[in-house]
Amino acid sequence: MKLGIIGLGRMGNSIAYRVLRGEIEVIGFDIDSEAIKFAQSVGVKVVSTISEVAKKTRVIWLMIPAGELVDETIKKILPDLQKGDIIIDGGNSNFRDSIRRSKKLKTEGVFFLDCGTSGGLHARDLGFSLMVGGDEGAYTKIIPLLKVIAAKNGFAFMGPSGAGHYVKMVHNGIEYGLLQAYAEGFHILKEGRYKDLDLEKISTVWNNGSIIRSWILELATGIFKDKIDFAKISGEIEEGGTGRWTVQEAKNQNIPVFVIDQALKMRQSSRQTGGNYATKLVSLLRNRFGGHKIT
């Protein structure tokens, strides 16, 4: 098996690294020279045009920003695809777009799988969490590929087209709420009744036996250990859209999501007001797990 990867940024490169470690050849393309150099350093065979990826591989993984770029990329590679080829969208696309793309490609004899991809920067070594939607037969064909990309027990078939990105959308909505809850808790500890509490010590204790222990809390411990000067960073939190989609879908289904909704509103407010200690901590946590820019 060969894998084509279009988009060799942080996540795409990590996926390529894991695939190559599984002794599967990777043909890659990117427009960024630094991404190309990094990919070549781990063994990716980089090609100069996007059509070469489609000509040389029968399974293509898209790791590019959601939206029009996905449609444009599919349009460019479609003439060089063969019937039975598989396109995997590993980005954070809207599940409705994934349904639409799957239907369109089916008329061309091409399978489209939507793959919610989670794990951030650390998944390069630890493995990803993969949530796959689409044709189950196509999914079965790529199981050997998913095994080398994912963490142990970290991948599964979610259901028909759109289901993979739908599950990832809700996953990200939950992430919004968790990050905000941790950040607000530490904000209280930082500026509440007892002054000069040791947040590194507290987070370490919580992560050993406490019911709120988690990887996010481990990352928070690292932030406190590094003695970061919060006064020097912005409290504005960016967002990719998945949290907003989660809230909108919940409203469409008449499902209350008060926590996620409030976390989303806090992010929006942070970009208007500059935020506070809690939003600064959320921004730092997002940077630690996903390399998201701190503004």
Side-chain angles (χ1 to χ4, degrees):
M1 179 184 286
K2 292 181 182 179
L3 176 67
I5 299 180
I6 298 175
L8 296 168
R10 291 189 302 265
M11 294 285 279
N13 195 283
S14 293
I15 288 168
Y17 171 81
R18 293 193 63 80
V19 171
L20 288 163
R21 200 168 68 170
E23 299 183 348
I24 297 173
E25 184 179 352
V26 177
I27 310 294
F29 173 84
D30 202 290
I31 59 173
D32 183 81
S33 59
E34 289 302 313
I36 289 171
K37 288 179 184 177
F38 192 31
Q40 288 175 324
S41 73
V42 300
V44 176
K45 295 182 180 179
V46 178
V47 292
S48 57
T49 65
I50 201 168
S51 64
E52 288 181 76
V53 179
K55 289 176 181 177
K56 295 181 178 181
T57 60
R58 307 277 59 88
V59 179
I60 300 174
W61 190 295
L62 305 183
M63 210 66 207
I64 56 180
E68 293 182 3
L69 184 58
V70 176
D71 290 310
E72 292 170 4
T73 301
I74 291 172
K75 185 177 179 180
K76 287 178 181 178
I77 64 176
L78 191 55
D80 296 303
L81 295 178
Q82 300 176 14
K83 291 188 182 302
D85 284 358
I86 300 171
I87 296 176
I88 306 164
D89 180 5
N92 280 329
S93 292
N94 189 297
F95 73 95
R96 293 182 180 85
D97 289 333
S98 297
I99 295 170
R100 171 178 57 80
R101 289 165 185 150
S102 178
K103 287 179 179 178
K104 178 175 172 45
L105 286 167
K106 187 176 182 180
T107 65
E108 304 287 344
V110 174
F111 296 105
F112 180 88
L113 298 176
D114 50 288
C115 181
T117 307
S118 181
L121 303 176
H122 300 259
R124 180 183 183 88
D125 297 312
L126 301 176
F128 287 88
S129 174
L130 305 174
M131 302 142 256
V132 187
D135 182 87
E136 192 165 8
Y139 164 81
T140 301
K141 290 180 180 178
I142 66 164
I143 284 177
L145 180 65
L146 299 176
K147 282 183 177 178
V148 299
I149 297 174
K152 184 179 179 180
N153 300 320
F155 73 93
F157 180 69
M158 299 291 117
S161 294
H165 280 151
Y166 188 87
V167 172
K168 179 55 163 50
M169 175 189 75
V170 176
H171 162 287
N172 284 17
I174 293 170
E175 174 196 305
Y176 276 46
L178 287 174
L179 288 173
Q180 190 63 32
Y182 278 120
E184 289 178 6
F186 283 114
H187 193 180
I188 296 170
L189 294 173
K190 178 72 174 176
E191 300 179 2
R193 181 181 298 271
Y194 294 94
K195 307 303 179 185
D196 301 319
L197 290 172
D198 188 331
L199 301 187
E200 179 189 347
K201 184 187 295 183
I202 292 168
S203 59
T204 298
V205 170
W206 282 354
N207 240 341
N208 289 275
S210 161
I211 62 169
I212 62 167
R213 62 188 182 271
S214 72
W215 184 51
I216 292 176
L217 195 54
E218 289 179 19
L219 295 175
T221 302
I223 290 169
F224 300 138
K225 184 178 181 179
D226 290 345
K227 309 291 187 201
I228 294 172
D229 185 355
F230 278 47
K232 293 182 178 180
I233 67 168
S234 168
E236 298 180 17
I237 314 171
E238 298 299 325
E239 58 180 276
T242 47
R244 187 171 63 255
W245 298 340
T246 303
V247 171
Q248 186 57 57
E249 173 63 10
K251 290 179 179 178
N252 291 343
Q253 302 299 329
N254 294 314
I255 298 170
V257 286
F258 302 115
V259 172
I260 299 173
D261 191 23
Q262 283 302 118
L264 176 63
K265 288 176 180 176
M266 282 301 301
R267 293 195 180 194
Q268 294 167 344
S269 174
S270 75
R271 297 192 295 275
Q272 298 168 353
T273 65
N276 55 26
Y277 181 89
T279 60
K280 290 181 180 186
L281 181 53
V282 170
S283 185
L284 286 166
L285 286 167
R286 293 180 77 245
N287 176 261
R288 290 286 170 115
F289 66 66
H292 299 289
K293 184 179 178 181
I294 300 173
T295 57

